[in-house]
């Protein structure tokens, strides 16, 4: 498994194990939202990796976007869900199977109106430093 895929698997498991998050979404954390999915939910968005190796250590800085979707009136539900995601993941110590998770931080949160006029879109940006095995 790739480091990026393993990190996504870990993040999904952490979100689904946190009652602050599941109290809003149940088990609706998707790699790709299925047609007709109930709101609110979390969907994995874009990700990227910047190589960050030094002194014989192969590592990468992974950036992963989590998209929060809500149709509740106003912005409160989306903001509360974005904050719950941050509390779940920010500076969380956790283990990956084949790689070493050095650090994980939430660097950015935003909530805004979707162009459809009825959906609220929240964005959470997670940054993780991951070391490759030798």
């Amino acid at each position: 498994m790739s480091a990026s895929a393993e990190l996504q698997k870990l993040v999904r498991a952490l979100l689904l194990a946190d009652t602050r998050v599941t109290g809003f979404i149940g088990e609706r954390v998707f790699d790709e939202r299925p047609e007709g999915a109930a709101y609110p939910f979390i969907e994995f968005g874009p990700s990227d990796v910047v190589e960050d190796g030094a002194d014989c250590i192969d590592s990468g800085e992974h950036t992963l976007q989590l998209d929060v979707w809500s149709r509740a009136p106003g912005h409160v539900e989306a903001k509360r869900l974005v904050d719950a995601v941050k509390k779940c993941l920010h500076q969380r110590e956790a283990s990956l199977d084949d790689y070493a998770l050095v650090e994980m931080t939430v660097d950015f949160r935003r909530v805004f109106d979707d162009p459809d006029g009825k959906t609220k879109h929240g964005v959470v940006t997670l940054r993780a430093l991951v070391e490759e095995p030798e």
Side-chain angles (χ1 to χ4, degrees):
M1 182 177 285
S2 75
S4 294
E6 197 171 313
L7 178 63
Q8 180 173 320
K9 179 182 169 187
L10 171 66
V11 168
R12 184 177 193 280
L14 292 171
L15 292 170
L16 291 175
D18 191 309
T19 57
R20 293 173 293 205
V21 176
T22 59
F24 288 103
I25 63 164
E27 295 198 6
R28 294 184 303 274
V29 178
F30 305 119
D31 183 36
E32 184 175 340
R33 173 182 51 141
E35 190 69 33
Y39 288 83
F41 62 87
I42 296 172
E43 182 178 27
F44 285 93
S47 64
D48 61 69
V49 180
V50 175
E51 296 303 318
D52 193 35
D55 297 329
C56 301
I57 298 173
D58 288 329
S59 64
E61 184 175 277
H62 295 249
T63 303
L64 198 149
Q65 179 175 307
L66 296 165
D67 293 301
V68 169
W69 301 95
S70 171
R71 286 213 170 143
H75 294 91
V76 172
E77 181 180 72
K79 288 178 180 180
R80 290 177 65 201
L81 183 50
V82 162
D83 289 346
V85 169
K86 187 251 183 187
K87 288 176 185 171
C88 174
L89 300 175
H90 185 64
Q91 296 184 340
R92 179 74 178 262
E93 292 186 21
S95 297
L96 297 168
D97 293 333
D98 296 327
Y99 301 87
L101 179 61
V102 177
E103 178 184 44
M104 185 164 59
T105 58
V106 171
D107 290 342
F108 178 80
R109 293 175 285 163
R110 180 178 184 214
V111 173
F112 53 96
D113 292 323
D114 195 61
D116 70 5
K118 54 188 169 186
T119 308
K120 307 304 181 258
H121 184 184
V123 173
V124 178
T125 303
L126 179 71
R127 185 184 56 80
L129 186 58
V130 177
E131 289 183 359
E132 307 262 340
E134 292 185 29

